């Protein structure tokens, strides 16, 4: 518990934010960062207002595999082919789960 408290402390969150450019978990630290950040960084941080947590369902591993397949395909062909590769990978995973 003490390690968790430290990791979530204002001090540690600020160190992570400044030292390795991580987005802080604490809202106070995030607001402080936004107030002092360069315009580009502030714009990036403002995008957090339009996000939601990523699902943690077991099926997400198949989504990640499909994204990997598409991103691997992208430099080799075109965006449409990459999307098709993602769809094929996801369909194959879905089919395997159905059997």
């Amino acid at each position: 518990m003490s390690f968790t408290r430290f990791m979530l402390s204002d001090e540690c969150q600020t160190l992570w934010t400044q030292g390795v450019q991580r987005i802080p978990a604490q809202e106070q630290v995030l607001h402080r960062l936004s107030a002092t950040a360069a315009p580009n960084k502030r714009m990036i941080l403002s995008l957090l207002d339009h996000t939601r947590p990523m699902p943690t369902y077991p099926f997400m591993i198949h989504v990640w595999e499909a994204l990997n397949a598409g991103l691997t395909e992208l430099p080799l062909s075109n965006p449409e082919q990459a999307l098709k590769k993602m769809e094929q990978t996801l369909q194959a995973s879905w089919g395997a789960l159905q059997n």
Side-chain angles (χ1 to χ4, degrees):
M1 288 304 285
S2 62
F3 178 71
T4 302
R5 275 192 294 278
F6 170 72
M7 291 302 291
L8 294 174
S9 71
D10 189 274
E11 173 191 5
C12 187
Q13 291 287 297
T14 301
L15 287 171
W16 274 92
T17 299
Q18 295 170 349
V20 289
Q21 304 296 307
R22 297 292 186 259
I23 296 172
Q26 259 199 40
E27 279 192 53
Q28 292 171 307
V29 178
L30 180 59
H31 292 308
R32 209 169 44 245
L33 172 64
S34 293
T36 60
N40 285 344
K41 179 79 166 202
R42 200 170 336 175
M43 177 60 77
I44 290 169
L45 293 172
S46 75
L47 296 174
L48 290 171
D49 296 335
H50 308 285
T51 63
R52 60 187 172 123
M54 187 176 296
T56 56
Y57 306 117
F59 187 76
M60 286 302 294
I61 188 67
H62 303 289
V63 174
W64 285 112
E65 288 173 1
L67 287 170
N68 181 53
L71 291 173
T72 301
E73 178 71 25
L74 190 57
L76 305 174
S77 57
N78 59 54
E80 291 81 19
Q81 279 301 113
L83 286 171
K84 187 174 283 195
K85 186 70 173 176
M86 289 169 66
E87 182 181 8
Q88 290 169 346
T89 304
L90 205 50
Q91 290 295 334
S93 294
W94 183 252
L97 288 174
Q98 298 298 313
N99 294 331

